[in-house]
């Protein structure tokens, strides 16, 4: 296929958790012959730089973009660097959307997060509530930068008729995650901690009380939904990509599942002196279910086991 004859999908942040999952699905069970997929990382271009972003688009001439690139981190990294999260993500997002418009890209799907929703809100949260109050203090920089993607999508659609949209996944995990104990998200951080605790025969310490509730979505399930969104979803308004409300579990339950998956027989300790973050962020997937009523998600225990197995097998090379 020549670049001119079909669809060219550029995936920014293509070597991260979600990008790798999309690549896996495209290469194994969802390849369309008239689609060319290009997965790029920060090594290919500095997306905070408008000129480098334009050069990237000139090189690959994408017809479609999945925009995953972002400065990301867990609770403790967000608390330290709110300004950096705000400025760098605003720059990246503006460059991608403006360059997509200038190059006539047919569709852009950007990635938001449930952590951008108002801190004080009713549950479950849905797509109409993104801007209905300030986000949690812990990550306001990242949250406001991500919220602006939705504002920009609407403005590009209104002024230029661009087909720009966004998805809002709940807590994603899987192979190729960042397993850093300091800067990673909760599940990969716990997996790394338990790996060390098992190796050193020490207790497994969970930061916080273990009581907060989360909806976790397996990266391979999310990847399939990203591909569906790119091909089939044509609203400008964002869509929440989440497991059902009934699939929400506590951090304590997640820690116990990880302990089981990694065959950890030692003591589990909860350090209540560490911050819990938001108690819950329950999201409604009613809109998604209207489009895909029969959608099946990978069972959480199976997904955690597969991720733990990947991490143990790839420990030396894994981001941590």
């Amino acid at each position: 296929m020549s670049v001119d004859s079909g669809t060219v999908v550029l995936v920014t942040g293509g070597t991260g958790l979600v990008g790798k999952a999309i690549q896996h699905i495209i290469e194994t069970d969802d390849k369309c012959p008239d689609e060319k997929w290009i997965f790029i990382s920060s090594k290919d271009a500095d997306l905070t730089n408008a000129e480098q972003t334009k050069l990237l688009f000139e090189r690959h001439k994408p017809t479609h973009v999945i925009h995953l690139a972002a400065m990301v981190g867990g609770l403790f990294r967000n608390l330290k660097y709110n300004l950096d999260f705000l400025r760098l993500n605003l720059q990246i997002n503006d460059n991608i959307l403006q360059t997509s418009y200038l190059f006539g890209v047919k569709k852009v799907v950007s990635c938001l997060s449930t952590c951008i929703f108002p801190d004080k809100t009713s549950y479950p949260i849905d797509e109409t509530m993104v801007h209905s109050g300030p986000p949690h203090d812990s990550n306001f920089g990242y949250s406001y930068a991500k919220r602006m993607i939705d504002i920009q999508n609407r403005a590009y659609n209104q002024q230029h008729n661009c087909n720009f949209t966004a998805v809002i996944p709940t807590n994603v995990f899987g192979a190729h995650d960042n397993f850093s104990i300091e800067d990673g998200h909760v599940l990969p951080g716990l997996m790394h901690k338990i790996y060390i605790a098992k190796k050193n025969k020490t207790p497994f310490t969970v930061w916080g009380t273990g009581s907060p509730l989360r909806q976790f979505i397996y990266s391979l399930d999310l990847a399939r939904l990203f591909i569906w969104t790119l091909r089939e979803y044509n609203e400008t308004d964002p869509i929440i990509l989440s497991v059902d409300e009934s699939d929400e579990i506590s951090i304590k339950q997640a820690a116990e599942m990880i302990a089981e998956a990694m065959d950890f027989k030692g003591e589990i300790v909860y350090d209540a002196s560490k911050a819990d973050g938001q108690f819950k962020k329950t999201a409604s997937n009613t809109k998604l279910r209207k489009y895909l009523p029969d959608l099946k998600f990978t069972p959480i225990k199976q997904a955690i086991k597969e991720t733990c197995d990947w991490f143990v097998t790839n420990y030396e090379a894994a981001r941590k």
Side-chain angles (χ1 to χ4, degrees), residues 64-84:
H64 295 69
V65 173
I66 291 180
H67 175 38
L68 306 175
M71 177 183 176
V72 296
L75 171 65
F76 298 96
R77 191 172 178 214
N78 270 281
L79 282 165
K80 286 188 286 187
Y81 301 114
N82 265 299
L83 177 63
D84 293 354

Side-chain angles (χ1 to χ4, degrees), residues 8-13 18-19 22 37 57 62-70 93 96-97 100-101 105-112 146 149-150 153 162-169 222-241:
V8 180
V9 186
L10 181 71
V11 183
T12 72
V18 180
I22 293 172
W37 288 72
F57 276 60
T63 59
H64 295 69
V65 173
I66 291 180
H67 175 38
L68 306 175
N93 300 335
I96 287 295
L97 294 179
S100 293
Y101 158 64
V105 169
K106 293 176 185 173
K107 186 168 183 181
V108 179
V109 179
S110 296
C111 189
L112 309 184
K146 285 291 189 180
I149 291 178
D150 179 49
N153 285 346
C162 294
N163 188 2
F164 294 176
T165 191
V167 300
I168 310 174
L222 180 60
R224 291 184 182 94
L225 288 173
F226 254 104
I227 296 161
W228 168 81
T229 304
L230 186 77
R231 293 174 180 161
E232 307 293 339
Y233 179 76
N234 287 310
E235 295 183 40
T236 300
D237 289 337
I239 184 167
I240 290 171
L241 303 182

Side-chain angles (χ1 to χ4, degrees), residues 303-320:
I304 283 176
K305 180 75 171 83
E306 288 177 10
T307 306
C308 288
D309 289 349
W310 182 90
F311 178 59
V312 171
T313 303
N314 297 277
Y315 183 78
E316 291 308 318
R319 282 189 296 158
K320 56 190 184 299

Side-chain angles (χ1 to χ4, degrees), residues 85-90 93 112 140-150 152:
F85 277 96
L86 177 69
R87 293 187 68 243
L88 293 173
N89 285 308
L90 284 172
N93 300 335
L112 309 184
F140 70 90
Y142 178 83
S143 297
Y144 278 119
K146 285 291 189 180
R147 285 185 186 190
M148 284 306 299
I149 291 178
D150 179 49
Q152 287 177 283

Side-chain angles (χ1 to χ4, degrees), residues 26-84:
I26 286 295
E27 290 175 353
T28 55
D29 63 353
D30 206 356
K31 187 70 183 270
C32 285
D34 61 341
E35 290 178 353
K36 178 181 179 182
W37 288 72
I38 299 160
F39 296 84
I40 62 128
S41 75
S42 54
K43 292 174 185 166
D44 297 286
D46 174 6
L47 298 179
T48 64
N49 181 295
E51 281 307 310
Q52 286 197 34
T53 308
K54 283 177 186 171
L55 287 170
L56 180 77
F57 276 60
E58 283 171 3
R59 187 156 66 245
H60 296 297
K61 297 179 173 56
T63 59
H64 295 69
V65 173
I66 291 180
H67 175 38
L68 306 175
M71 177 183 176
V72 296
L75 171 65
F76 298 96
R77 191 172 178 214
N78 270 281
L79 282 165
K80 286 188 286 187
Y81 301 114
N82 265 299
L83 177 63
D84 293 354

Side-chain angles (χ1 to χ4, degrees), residues 88-126:
L88 293 173
N89 285 308
L90 284 172
Q91 289 165 8
I92 290 168
N93 300 335
D94 188 57
N95 286 336
I96 287 295
L97 294 179
Q98 176 65 5
T99 308
S100 293
Y101 158 64
L102 292 173
F103 278 75
V105 169
K106 293 176 185 173
K107 186 168 183 181
V108 179
V109 179
S110 296
C111 189
L112 309 184
S113 164
T114 49
C115 70
I116 73 173
F117 280 93
D119 178 34
K120 293 178 172 58
T121 188
S122 57
Y123 293 98
I125 48 183
D126 65 39

